[in-house]
Amino acid sequence: MLEKKELCVCEITSALNLAPSTVSKHISILRDAGLVVDEKKGKWVHCHLPQRYNSEIAGKIVELLKEHLNEYEQIISDSEFVNKIICNGVCKR
């Protein structure tokens, strides 16, 4: 999903239909691995892919995932959903 655009944690939560705590935990793991960058913007945390990965292996893993995961219906469906959601529409104020 982050390949398409930067997303607020609430958008990711909505797209995956998971609890915010679950999404935050997974983002934390991905951030620690250098696979995702998260930034606080006001009340919300926005995530995006890094411009460069901190290791060659991480970059190769992401490229392999992109190649193979884009074949799955759920990935395609989630990607289409992400294109339709707007942070202000799903974020609780």
Side-chain angles (χ1 to χ4, degrees), residues 12-46:
I12 298 169
T13 299
S14 178
L16 299 176
N17 197 27
L18 294 171
S21 59
T22 301
V23 171
S24 293
K25 179 63 179 172
H26 284 86
I27 289 171
S28 172
I29 293 167
L30 292 169
R31 181 193 62 235
D32 292 347
L35 299 174
V36 169
V37 175
D38 62 346
E39 299 175 46
K40 188 161 173 114
K41 294 183 180 181
K43 293 187 216 179
W44 296 281
V45 176
H46 290 257

Side-chain angles (χ1 to χ4, degrees), residues 1-7 48-49 63 66 70 79:
M1 292 185 298
L2 296 177
E3 184 180 30
K4 301 283 183 189
K5 64 180 183 177
E6 176 179 282
L7 296 170
H48 59 88
L49 296 177
E63 288 305 314
K66 285 180 191 179
N70 287 329
S79 200

Side-chain angles (χ1 to χ4, degrees), residues 11-91:
E11 292 173 304
I12 298 169
T13 299
S14 178
L16 299 176
N17 197 27
L18 294 171
S21 59
T22 301
V23 171
S24 293
K25 179 63 179 172
H26 284 86
I27 289 171
S28 172
I29 293 167
L30 292 169
R31 181 193 62 235
D32 292 347
L35 299 174
V36 169
V37 175
D38 62 346
E39 299 175 46
K40 188 161 173 114
K41 294 183 180 181
K43 293 187 216 179
W44 296 281
V45 176
H46 290 257
C47 302
H48 59 88
L49 296 177
Q51 289 183 354
R52 293 189 64 196
Y53 294 98
N54 57 5
S55 74
E56 186 178 338
I57 293 172
K60 288 184 180 193
I61 289 170
V62 171
E63 288 305 314
L64 283 170
L65 288 171
K66 285 180 191 179
E67 284 178 32
H68 296 286
L69 291 179
N70 287 329
E71 300 169 5
Y72 291 93
E73 272 187 52
Q74 188 64 52
I75 301 294
I76 295 166
S77 174
D78 290 347
S79 200
E80 290 170 356
F81 181 80
V82 164
N83 288 332
K84 296 176 188 173
I85 59 176
I86 299 169
C87 184
N88 294 340
V90 295
C91 295

